[in-house]
Amino acid sequence: MTGTNRTISRRLGIALLLGALFVGALVPTAGAAAARRAPLIKGAFTATFPERVHGLSVAIAPDDTPWFGISISEGGPSLAHSNSGKLEIDALEKEGKYAETTALQFDSKGALWFAESGEGAQVIARRNPDGTVSEFDLPKGPPVTALTFGTEGDIWFVRTGYSERSEAQVGQMTPAGAVTQFPLEAGSRPTSITAGPDGALWFNEEGAGKIGRITTSGEVRLFDLGPKVEPRQIVAGAEGALWFGENGQARRYGRISDRIGRITTEGQVTQFPVPFGTGTTRLAADPSGVVWFATAEGDFSSISPSGNVGGRGCVDCGDPIESLVRAPDGSLWFAAGHASCLECGGGSDLIIENEGTEVGQVPADALAPADPNGPPAVDPYRNQGKAARPTARTGRARDVEAEFAELTGYINSHGFPTTWLFWWGKTKKYGHKTFLPEFPFEAGEGAATIEEPILDLCPHTTYHYEIVAYGPGGR
């Protein structure tokens, strides 16, 4: 992008809910978006849930049918599955104004286990192959975010306390429903758990920056990953180690690449850079030894134990991936969330939440897997000096009408992350400002022409405006 210009415009939408509400988000041109995002994956399948239904997790049944945990408003607890390419929602015959089913896992007998929440209730449920459902009540506490099976047939789960004062827990439940819970430090936010090759259960502490190991007798050991590390989903790799995703972290100058971590059963940690995305959030182990992963921007790729990163692609580029699983045929099934803007205006959150989300399948062999013997990926932002202050220049207004005008400006980020907004008003004190852009400059990008519409102006009135750019080197 360095040395080229791009034009950025604002998307406007109107919500006919609770009155007329404006929604704004700056969007780059196709050329700018292509420079950031992965190529589309050919042959991918997608399906969209109805309005107010959102996919949360996915699991593959013994007959290769994908099942989905969902959240649904005004419909009661439900599951969904794909039947000949169509989504079918299966109500659990239980009333409830709002409910979620998540953390899906099939056991060796073909029964589907999942967590269910709604109206303050927390249960772990089992859907038998004949369609009947059994529910096991949990003690009062935070939501269940993940579950897995231990080597002795028990169900293990984590309950996440999102506030600093809320107590997170690792739980154990027998197939008959007897529950034992082990408290964790407040604010640790475990969101994933998996059975390790050593017979113990391994989990992440996203809030505390640690990886945890708990034995079947309840003995907990924690491994600190260092400051500002937020470990995400953890899975057991085919080579005998555990893998976990990480949030992308900002440096003072520029942006650090995403990372994926690998921890041995002895606690030795290696962190590999992934040179794209905004956080490696979901992982799925492959028997071949690579680990497939998805990012918060909807990218799919893989990594090998050498740190080599394979081919990259996306299906609905920009939408974060909420769940990822590898099917026996080698394809990847996923549930996607909503892409969100940095600062949404008016009732945009209502619009986003009302839209149903997508689920889909990435075909086997659609992406080249990571090379087990290939070189590790390189952090593209590892060598960064002092940041330069961005250059900003206000341009002439365009398309000026009685109640509308398009403000323009020019920004040179000098290769450092930069965001911007316009200040405007009837005097040079301004008093109004536009929203921050959804796609600000990333590290390595250069210059751009900016266009921004403003509405509801007063006819025959003089307005003043300026563009202001913000970066790590100053304003």
Side-chain angles (χ1 to χ4, degrees):
M1 289 291 299
T2 303
T4 63
N5 286 349
R6 62 182 179 180
T7 300
I8 299 180
S9 59
R10 180 179 292 277
R11 288 198 305 259
L12 293 176
I14 298 179
L16 299 179
L17 180 67
L18 303 180
L21 304 170
F22 288 110
V23 182
L26 291 176
V27 181
T29 61
R36 298 181 184 185
R37 291 180 174 167
L40 287 172
I41 297 173
K42 296 180 179 180
F45 160 81
T46 60
T48 303
F49 281 115
E51 192 174 274
R52 298 175 184 267
V53 180
H54 309 293
L56 300 176
S57 61
V58 58
I60 308 298
D63 64 358
D64 295 335
T65 299
W67 283 76
F68 303 97
I70 58 178
S71 69
I72 181 170
S73 299
E74 305 296 338
S78 302
L79 295 167
H81 68 278
S82 178
N83 183 9
S84 301
K86 296 182 179 180
L87 290 175
E88 295 186 2
I89 296 177
D90 304 273
L92 298 181
E93 298 182 357
K94 179 181 177 182
E95 293 182 358
K97 293 182 179 179
Y98 177 83
E100 290 184 353
T101 52
T102 189
L104 274 60
Q105 294 283 348
F106 280 94
D107 65 20
S108 59
K109 297 180 181 179
L112 176 60
W113 292 82
F114 56 95
E116 179 187 321
S117 62
E119 297 184 332
Q122 294 286 331
V123 301
I124 288 180
R126 182 186 69 233
R127 184 186 187 277
N128 300 306
D130 62 3
T132 59
V133 176
S134 301
E135 294 183 336
F136 306 92
D137 291 333
L138 295 178
K140 185 178 180 180
V144 172
T145 50
L147 62 84
T148 192
F149 303 108
T151 55
E152 299 177 356
D154 288 350
I155 295 91
W156 287 81
F157 57 92
V158 287
R159 306 181 75 172
T160 294
Y162 286 101
S163 70
E164 292 184 359
R165 297 180 181 179
S166 179
E167 184 180 80
Q169 298 157 342
V170 174
Q172 177 188 23
M173 188 181 79
T174 68
V179 176
T180 305
Q181 297 190 132
F182 306 93
L184 301 175
E185 55 191 318
S188 56
R189 298 206 319 268
T191 59
S192 179
I193 188 168
T194 190
D198 55 352
L201 290 304
W202 291 74
F203 58 94
N204 69 321
E205 289 192 350
E206 187 172 330
K210 299 175 183 178
I211 296 296
R213 176 186 184 272
I214 184 169
T215 65
T216 54
S217 61
E219 181 183 350
V220 176
R221 183 182 178 189
L222 299 175
F223 301 91
D224 196 338
L225 301 177
K228 297 185 179 181
V229 176
E230 297 181 359
R232 295 296 186 89
Q233 182 183 7
I234 186 168
V235 299
E239 87 290 8
L242 291 304
W243 292 77
F244 54 92
E246 290 188 21
N247 253 350
Q249 296 292 327
R251 286 181 173 145
R252 183 180 180 188
Y253 307 123
R255 192 187 71 176
I256 194 171
S257 66
D258 297 331
R259 294 187 299 191
I260 287 182
R262 179 181 183 270
I263 183 170
T264 67
T265 53
E266 290 77 30
Q268 182 179 357
V269 176
T270 306
Q271 290 164 308
F272 299 106
V274 178
F276 51 81
T278 56
T280 49
T281 58
R282 299 291 178 258
L283 308 180
D286 192 309
S288 69
V290 304
V291 174
W292 295 94
F293 64 89
T295 75
E297 283 191 347
D299 294 350
F300 296 90
S301 189
S302 60
I303 189 168
S304 71
S306 71
N308 183 259
V309 173
R312 172 193 179 200
C314 62
V315 177
D316 194 353
C317 304
D319 284 348
I321 304 303
E322 300 290 345
S323 182
L324 181 69
V325 66
R326 182 187 179 276
D329 64 0
S331 64
L332 299 172
W333 281 90
F334 64 89
H338 283 299
S340 60
C341 54
L342 292 179
E343 186 173 332
C344 298
S348 58
D349 289 340
L350 291 174
I351 294 174
I352 288 174
E353 288 303 315
N354 288 342
E355 296 175 351
T357 55
E358 279 191 344
V359 296
Q361 180 188 34
V362 176
D365 303 323
L367 296 172
D371 183 352
N373 300 312
V378 175
D379 179 354
Y381 309 121
R382 65 191 186 280
N383 296 319
Q384 299 175 86
K386 184 177 180 180
R389 185 168 60 179
T391 301
R393 184 173 66 245
T394 302
R396 294 179 62 86
R398 299 175 182 171
D399 299 325
V400 178
E401 300 177 3
E403 299 179 353
F404 172 89
E406 187 169 70
L407 309 182
T408 70
Y410 169 85
I411 292 174
N412 188 336
S413 70
H414 302 293
F416 294 93
T418 301
T419 191
W420 67 87
L421 48 75
F422 284 90
W423 286 89
W424 61 278
K426 295 180 181 180
T427 71
K428 291 186 178 181
K429 293 183 179 180
Y430 305 118
H432 300 279
K433 61 181 178 179
T434 59
F435 296 114
L436 293 171
E438 183 177 0
F439 297 105
F441 287 93
E442 295 183 357
E445 294 186 337
T449 298
I450 310 298
E451 296 178 355
E452 178 75 10
I454 55 175
L455 307 175
D456 297 331
L457 304 179
C458 297
H460 309 295
T461 303
T462 299
Y463 286 90
H464 303 263
Y465 66 94
E466 68 176 359
I467 189 170
V468 181
Y470 305 85
R475 164 178 166 170

